[in-house]
Amino acid sequence: MLPSGGPDAPIGVFDSGVGGLTVVREVRALLPQEDIYYFADTAHCPYGDRPLAEVMELAAQVTEHLLEQGAKLIVVACNTASGAALQALRQRYPAVPFVGMVPAIKPACRLSPSGRVGVLATALTVQADLFSDVVHRFARDCRLTIQTCPGLAETIERGELSGERVLALLREYLAPLKAARVDVCVLGCTHYPLIRPLIEQELGPAVQVVESGAAVARQVERVLHERGLVAPHGRPGTFILAGSGDLNVVRRLAAELALLDPSFSRR
Ligand code: DGL
C-alpha cells in the first residue's frame, strides 16, 4: 500500500500502548502544525516479552491500519517494535517513510565521563540486531550494564506511575546499574520516560538520564522536509487517539501530557 497523504495528511505513530505518547510529546513540541494519528496496540501490550515474529506481524497490521488512515509518515514509537520490525516494514512498504528508534546509547556514551552506562530496555529490544549494531558501533569505549525490565512496561501501562509496585520493580532493575556505578542511564523503552522522575530520584543527581524522543522528533522533521511533506505552518495540529483495546489509561496519560488540549480533536 502507498502512503496516500501529502503535507496535509497526518503523521501515524504507534506503540504497544502508552509509551509512544512520550515520543508524540516531542513531535508535538517541535512540529505543532502536524496532525497526529496515534495507535496504541493495547490489546497486544506488552510487545517486549513476545516472540520476534509475532511483533513483526503486529507491527505490520498496525502499519496497514495507519496507511488506511492516510498517514504520510509512520513513527514506530517503540524500541521493541523498531528492533523487531523496522527493517521488514521498510522492505514491505518501500514507498512509506518510516522513523524508528533505538535506545540512546550513542549520545549516552558521549555524555558519560566514566564510560559506565546503564541501559534499561525490554527483552526483545536487547535481542534485536538493531541493538547489537548500535552497541557495536557506538559503545566500543563504554562499559554497558544492560538491564531488561520484565513487568515494568505493563505496570506503567496500567497507569501506575508511582507507588509501591512500580518502586519495587524499579529498585530491582536499577540495582545492577548502581552496583556498576553508571553515570548515565538510557531509557530504552518509550514507556519508561513516564516514570522518569522516579528513576532520577532512585539514581540520584550524579546520574544523567537520557531518552530518545527528542531525537526521533528531529528525525521526523528532517524526513518530512526531505520529502516535501511538512504541514503548512501556523495551523493547529490535531491529535487522534485510536487503538486495539482499552484506551482509558492511554487517554488519561495523553491528557496529562497535554496532548488532548482543547485544540485537539479526539475519538
Ligand atoms: N514501549 C515499548 C518500547 O519502547 C515497549 C513496551 C512493551 O513491551 O510493549 O520498547
Side-chain angles (χ1 to χ4, degrees):
M1 189 183 280
L2 287 171
S4 50
D8 290 329
I11 296 172
V13 183
F14 78 93
D15 177 46
S16 59
V18 295
L21 295 176
T22 63
V23 176
V24 170
R25 171 175 61 183
E26 303 296 337
V27 173
R28 181 72 192 150
L30 191 65
L31 301 162
Q33 76 278 19
E34 296 293 341
D35 292 342
I36 294 174
Y37 182 99
Y38 184 80
F39 190 92
D41 195 6
T42 49
H44 305 105
C45 187
Y47 282 175
D49 303 326
R50 290 178 189 274
L52 185 116
E54 202 177 320
V55 174
M56 281 174 83
E57 189 44 43
L58 291 169
Q61 282 169 18
V62 177
T63 296
E64 283 289 333
H65 174 76
L66 294 175
L67 293 174
E68 280 161 15
Q69 307 310 308
K72 62 183 175 184
L73 175 146
I74 292 179
V75 182
V76 185
C78 173
N79 295 269
T80 308
S82 295
L86 190 59
Q87 205 187 357
L89 289 174
R90 286 188 168 132
Q91 276 165 7
R92 188 155 161 182
Y93 305 98
V96 178
F98 285 95
V99 174
M101 59 197 301
V102 67
I105 288 170
K106 182 181 172 185
C109 287
R110 284 199 185 136
L111 207 61
S112 167
S114 70
R116 294 188 301 271
V117 170
V119 184
L120 304 176
T122 71
L124 197 55
T125 293
V126 307
Q127 282 162 32
D129 290 344
L130 190 61
F131 185 84
S132 323
D133 287 352
V134 169
V135 169
H136 185 71
R137 287 170 62 200
F138 302 112
R140 281 170 189 267
D141 302 325
C142 263
R143 216 176 75 214
L144 296 183
T145 302
I146 298 166
Q147 179 63 48
T148 59
C149 308
L152 190 56
E154 290 102 302
T155 308
I156 294 167
E157 191 65 29
R158 287 196 298 268
E160 289 181 48
L161 306 187
S162 60
E164 279 314 305
R165 215 172 349 211
V166 68
L167 201 57
L169 282 174
L170 205 50
R171 286 188 173 147
E172 181 186 340
Y173 299 141
L174 292 180
L177 275 63
K178 286 182 177 177
R181 295 185 297 116
V182 305
D183 53 20
V184 179
C185 172
V186 177
L187 306 187
C189 166
T190 54
H191 280 64
Y192 306 161
L194 291 165
I195 54 163
R196 183 173 176 151
L198 212 55
I199 294 172
E200 286 176 334
Q201 175 197 305
E202 286 301 304
L203 287 172
V207 180
Q208 300 186 69
V209 172
V210 298
E211 53 184 279
S212 323
V216 171
R218 289 193 297 274
Q219 182 63 7
V220 169
E221 186 182 38
R222 265 194 294 274
V223 176
L224 289 178
H225 269 290
E226 275 165 24
R227 307 241 180 172
L229 289 174
V230 180
H233 286 273
R235 67 167 200 179
T238 60
F239 180 75
I240 291 175
L241 190 56
S244 55
D246 187 340
L247 291 180
N248 282 329
V249 173
V250 188
R251 203 168 279 125
R252 172 162 78 70
L253 292 178
E256 280 174 25
L257 294 174
L259 297 173
L260 296 181
D261 70 31
S263 67
F264 286 3
S265 66
R266 60 190 276 197
R267 74 175 204 192

